[in-house]
Amino acid sequence: MNQPIIVTSEKSRYVSLSVLSFVMTLLSNFCIFAYSNEWHLSVLSLVFTVFGLIGVVLFGWFFVCYTKCVFVKQLPPILVVDDKGITDKSSAISIGFIPWEDITYIRLKPHLNQTYISVTLTDNDKYLSKMNVFQKYSSKANLKMGFPLVNIVLMTSNQTPQQVYSAILHQYGDKFIQ
């Protein structure tokens, strides 16, 4: 019986993301109001206003979500790896619990400026059928880019993907085919 690997988020990371999303919300507001009076460039004014509105809604929503995480007494784990399998709650497209028998391969996958723990499944369709529309769309886009269905993001964690991956290999490497 192996010790479970439990990865939690750091509140300081959520503070940083909250401040960043607030700044982006302010910049989006600037786009709306700075160009709304430009009558001689009505098309440009409309474009800035539309992008500003989208930015206010999107970044405002991020600000609310990240700020809520800052004030939660204890954040739930974003990743749990135990003898039963992997429970991933690291992102909006995470699919939750995956038993070891459904996992074929686990590896580190760098992309741009971030490294993911990528999990290749034996049957993607089994998990795609359980996803909501947003998750399906995002996951299919990941599949088209050559990523597996499950990509664990540890951006808000105090542990690096390399540390967690090494712990998974050390404790549970015999559970999946490498």
Side-chain angles (χ1 to χ4, degrees), residues 4 16 21 56 70 95 141 143 145 168 178:
S16 301
S21 59
V56 166
V70 170
I95 56 176
L143 288 169
M145 290 189 301
I168 292 170
Q178 293 187 22

Side-chain angles (χ1 to χ4, degrees), residues 16-32 50-67:
S16 301
L17 290 169
S18 182
V19 168
L20 180 63
S21 59
F22 182 72
V23 169
M24 293 301 293
T25 303
L26 290 177
L27 289 172
S28 297
N29 272 317
F30 176 75
C31 285
I32 294 169
V50 168
F51 277 108
L53 286 171
I54 292 170
V56 166
V57 170
L58 183 69
F59 294 117
W61 182 70
F62 289 160
F63 173 71
V64 169
C65 291
Y66 292 142
T67 303

Side-chain angles (χ1 to χ4, degrees), residues 4 15 21 35 53 55 60 67 73 82 84 98 105 114 120-121 128 134 148 157 166-167 169 173 176:
V15 170
S21 59
Y35 293 98
L53 286 171
T67 303
K73 194 173 239 182
D82 59 19
K84 297 174 189 167
I98 307 161
Y105 190 76
Q114 192 166 354
T120 304
L121 303 175
L128 280 169
F134 171 74
S157 166
S166 294
L169 283 181
F176 58 90

Side-chain angles (χ1 to χ4, degrees), residues 1 9 14 24 26 28 35 63 65 71 74 85 88 95 103 107 116 119 125 129 133 137 143 155 161 171 178:
M1 184 106 183
S9 294
Y14 283 111
M24 293 301 293
L26 290 177
S28 297
Y35 293 98
F63 173 71
C65 291
F71 293 107
Q74 184 174 353
D88 173 29
I95 56 176
I103 297 173
R107 66 183 172 144
Y116 303 94
V119 180
D125 293 331
S129 66
V133 174
Y137 180 77
L143 288 169
M155 184 176 68
Q171 293 186 40
Q178 293 187 22

Side-chain angles (χ1 to χ4, degrees), residues 101-124:
E101 52 268 8
D102 290 352
I103 297 173
T104 304
Y105 190 76
I106 300 175
R107 66 183 172 144
L108 290 174
K109 182 95 172 167
H111 181 68
L112 299 176
N113 216 9
Q114 192 166 354
T115 302
Y116 303 94
I117 298 175
S118 295
V119 180
T120 304
L121 303 175
T122 55
D123 183 13
N124 287 340

